[in-house]
Amino acid sequence: MKYYIQTLGCAMNYSDSERVAALLEKMGYDRTSVAEETDLYIFNTCSIRQKGEDRVFGYLKNIIEWKKKNPRLLVGLTGCMVRRTSSKNSEKKDQDELIKKLKPLDFTFRITEAQKLGEVLEEVRPGLEIPELKEAGLSDYLRIRPKYTSSFQAYVPIQIGCDKYCTYCIVPYARGREKSRPMEEILAECKTLVENGCKEITLGGQNVNAYGKSVFDKQSGKFGQNEDPFITLLREVDKLKALGLKRLRFTSPHPRHFTDELIELHTQLETLVNHIHLPVQAGDDAILKKMNRQYTVDEYRRIWKKIKKVLPGGSFTTDIIVGFCGETEQQFEGTRRLYEEIEWDMAYLARYSPRRGTTSFAAWEDDVSREEKARRWHVLNEVLERCSIRYNESLIGKTLEVLVEKYNEETGECEGKSRENIVVQFPGNPDMIGELVESKITKALTWSVKGAEVGI
Ligand code: 5AD
Ligand code: SF4
């Protein structure tokens, strides 16, 4: 029996899919990369914007056709769109709304209940022989050992959910309250990874630098009172350099908890890279307040100045939403001007997408027109392209360390990322995949740079 997982959205979803893959393989399923020939199709969904949900509806149209050809095909859905673990054979009152709405769907499962996958599969296909997954730790889905997709890079979740309640964001509803994973468990996962050749670890969470600080975490009493638990965790993971860890990243932090100590740590820990991604979302105080971001433009600016001073030459990136409820032309101008001032090296620009269930959806009208959102996005994108190429040009002549991720046979080039998280392409060979190679930068493009190979 074959399985296929279609993952949409953020790195956390990709990591969750690695856990689902591990469970399915324990149940005797084999992975296929040909979606049409699978016996079990699982969507791992993203609800951050409507666009992500629309993609699922698009895929399901194809699946209706495949189901006609292969009536044994089972289709399940997990991730942010799902509220309940259920199947089409569950009692109507227990079913997730999506089962009632989407015909080709056989079952849904909340990702935090991934270990119930066997039960729902049996419910939709009685007689299916599924071994019981009675392994220690399966009560907590983060303890499921993932089937990692790469041997040299890994994303390790350190926290689930979010307590920040930005008014536009579905995450606290889709993923629940913020809860940090015990430090020993994270360190054990990281250690095993590094012992197996992993060179780069990304610690992940929706509000990652609030690790160990939520109401739940305080009640658990596991994270101590003295040092910031996130700082302790970074220091501990950094020690794995002795076993071969080369790079440590984290994503995505919140400005509220971005302390000077955390900034300075980047110069103290050998593995912690010189790239900081810090979502700003908007460059106007009234909009930030309405978004419930809990900082002002000036507070963000102060963090940026400190980062620039401590990490000159490092890269600094962000997330921005344009067209939030009631955002005036002047307020948008504030965001544009802030971009010109800070010159983020890269940014993810999003048009505000109202999400049912969030505060902004209930409280305010989505009153910036589609056309105006598109215009603002393009204005900002033009500044972004200019800043990105400017940063890339500043790298010309420098030698960067590249962790090679792939090799292109047609061009004979290797591609990977530098510690600054810049995509570098340079002439190389397939044996370099997974290796750290030095490359002297010769040319800057908008989203990447070209280099010459210097050495391993
Ligand atoms: N509309 C548009 N963008 C959003 N994001 C989160 N929620 C929304 C929304 N409702 C963006 C934010 C966040 C990133 C992960 O997605 O910029 O940082
Ligand atoms: Fe959403 Fe805000 Fe939490 Fe980020 S910090 S996941 S934007 S609620």
Side-chain angles (χ1 to χ4, degrees), residues 48-49 168 281 319 321 350-353 355:
I48 283 276
R49 288 182 283 272
Y168 52 80
Q281 311 300 0
D319 290 351
I321 299 176
R351 303 162 209 211
Y352 170 62
S353 171
R355 313 306 301 137

Side-chain angles (χ1 to χ4, degrees), residues 123-321:
E123 198 170 288
V124 282
R125 181 74 35 88
L128 204 65
E129 281 198 18
I130 293 173
E132 264 194 75
L133 298 169
K134 269 209 185 122
E135 220 175 88
L138 278 186
S139 57
D140 179 348
Y141 97 101
L142 286 181
R143 280 190 239 162
I144 300 166
R145 200 177 133 67
K147 183 175 164 48
Y148 300 104
T149 36
S150 159
S151 60
F152 53 90
Q153 287 176 307
Y155 176 95
V156 176
I158 67 166
Q159 172 198 63
I160 49 174
C162 182
D163 272 358
K164 278 284 174 290
Y165 289 95
C166 300
T167 54
Y168 52 80
C169 186
I170 194 71
V171 166
Y173 309 95
R175 298 246 166 200
R177 299 300 300 263
E178 195 174 299
K179 189 177 164 193
S180 298
R181 200 175 167 197
M183 204 173 297
E184 325 77 74
E185 211 178 286
I186 299 168
L187 293 174
E189 183 176 345
C190 291
K191 183 162 181 262
T192 311
L193 276 162
V194 177
E195 282 170 346
N196 287 307
C198 182
K199 297 192 170 87
E200 180 180 278
I201 287 179
T202 302
L203 301 178
Q206 309 291 346
N207 189 12
V208 75
N209 52 337
Y211 174 77
K213 300 184 188 80
S214 71
V215 175
F216 177 91
D217 298 334
K218 292 230 167 74
Q219 282 166 355
S220 80
K222 276 190 190 139
F223 298 96
Q225 301 299 320
N226 301 324
E227 202 184 44
D228 176 339
F230 186 57
I231 303 262
T232 312
L233 178 64
L234 291 173
R235 287 192 198 283
E236 288 301 315
V237 179
D238 178 67
K239 289 183 187 157
L240 293 173
K241 59 185 172 239
L243 297 176
L245 180 69
K246 302 290 183 198
R247 292 178 177 185
L248 176 58
R249 302 182 182 277
F250 58 83
T251 185
S252 264
H254 191 286
R256 185 73 194 279
H257 307 285
F258 220 96
T259 57
D260 286 359
E261 194 188 3
L262 178 54
I263 298 171
E264 275 149 17
L265 203 65
H266 286 76
T267 60
Q268 296 159 10
L269 303 185
E270 200 180 304
T271 60
L272 197 56
V273 294
N274 54 346
H275 166 226
I276 293 178
H277 179 77
L278 190 62
V280 69
Q281 311 300 0
D284 176 88
D285 284 342
I287 291 291
L288 286 176
K289 187 146 195 258
K290 203 165 166 181
M291 286 176 162
N292 188 31
R293 289 292 294 174
Q294 306 172 37
Y295 53 84
T296 61
V297 174
D298 261 350
E299 282 164 346
Y300 187 96
R301 203 179 259 124
R302 201 197 70 76
I303 302 172
W304 160 63
K305 286 195 173 144
K306 176 87 187 174
I307 291 173
K308 243 181 104 164
K309 205 166 126 203
V310 175
L311 284 179
S315 69
F316 188 51
T317 59
T318 199
D319 290 351
I320 296 177
I321 299 176

